[in-house]
Amino acid sequence: VVLIALLLVPAATRKVRRRARLRRARHGDTDAIWDELADTATDLGYAWSAARSPRQVAAWLGGPRDLTGTPLHNLTAAVERARYARAQDRDRAGADMVHDLEATEAGLRARRSGRDRLRAFLWPASLNWKGVALIGDWLPGTVRAH
């Protein structure tokens, strides 16, 4: 039981972080929603780069088979408005952003294998716990850095 509880610590940590971000996003915090998208993409094995603009991320994640579609573009537009528009031109549609995030994440998960999704849940790469190799190395889909 203790071993199982220890194995679920990363998943629980990630879930707590996600809930806090979604709470902030519902109040119009586009940075929280964007950070959550970044962590989800990282957990699923996408090579997220903070150097990409929101439009570059949309083009990159949309890919040739756009399973994310309009929700991703809605998120991108909201982030761009929050970052670059005048204060009076910004909108704060938090619930819509959360819905768009969930739809985008569903599209990203659909592109990954069950093994990748399991690894993303049990050992989220976004937590950056690479030093705990004892647990992380045996999980399906985990790549060891040498």
Side-chain angles (χ1 to χ4, degrees):
V1 173
V2 172
L3 181 61
I4 291 171
L6 285 174
L7 288 174
L8 293 177
V9 166
T13 302
R14 180 68 175 89
K15 189 163 190 86
V16 167
R17 180 186 287 184
R18 178 180 174 82
R19 281 186 182 164
R21 285 182 178 153
L22 293 181
R23 189 173 25 259
R24 290 184 0 234
R26 284 187 184 93
H27 290 66
D29 185 347
T30 57
D31 287 332
I33 208 88
W34 201 249
D35 290 344
E36 184 56 33
L37 178 62
D39 278 3
T40 299
T42 300
D43 293 345
L44 290 170
Y46 295 92
W48 185 274
S49 171
R52 290 185 178 119
S53 72
R55 284 187 192 183
Q56 289 171 326
V57 169
W60 166 67
L61 285 179
R65 287 183 11 219
D66 192 359
L67 298 174
T68 57
T70 303
L72 176 59
H73 294 288
N74 292 343
L75 281 177
T76 301
V79 170
E80 286 177 335
R81 279 190 302 275
R83 290 183 181 176
Y84 309 119
R86 296 179 307 187
Q88 64 266 27
D89 294 336
R90 296 179 191 157
D91 60 1
R92 299 179 70 82
D96 290 339
M97 285 193 313
V98 171
H99 176 72
D100 288 336
L101 173 70
E102 290 169 348
T104 299
E105 290 173 335
L108 295 176
R109 279 189 199 91
R111 295 181 188 167
R112 294 299 193 217
S113 68
R115 188 177 189 178
D116 289 339
R117 291 189 303 265
L118 177 63
R119 181 190 40 76
F121 174 75
L122 291 175
W123 197 254
S126 62
L127 295 178
N128 202 18
W129 289 358
K130 295 175 188 167
V132 190
L134 177 65
I135 297 172
D137 285 349
W138 67 267
L139 289 172
T142 302
V143 178
R144 281 184 83 166
H146 296 286

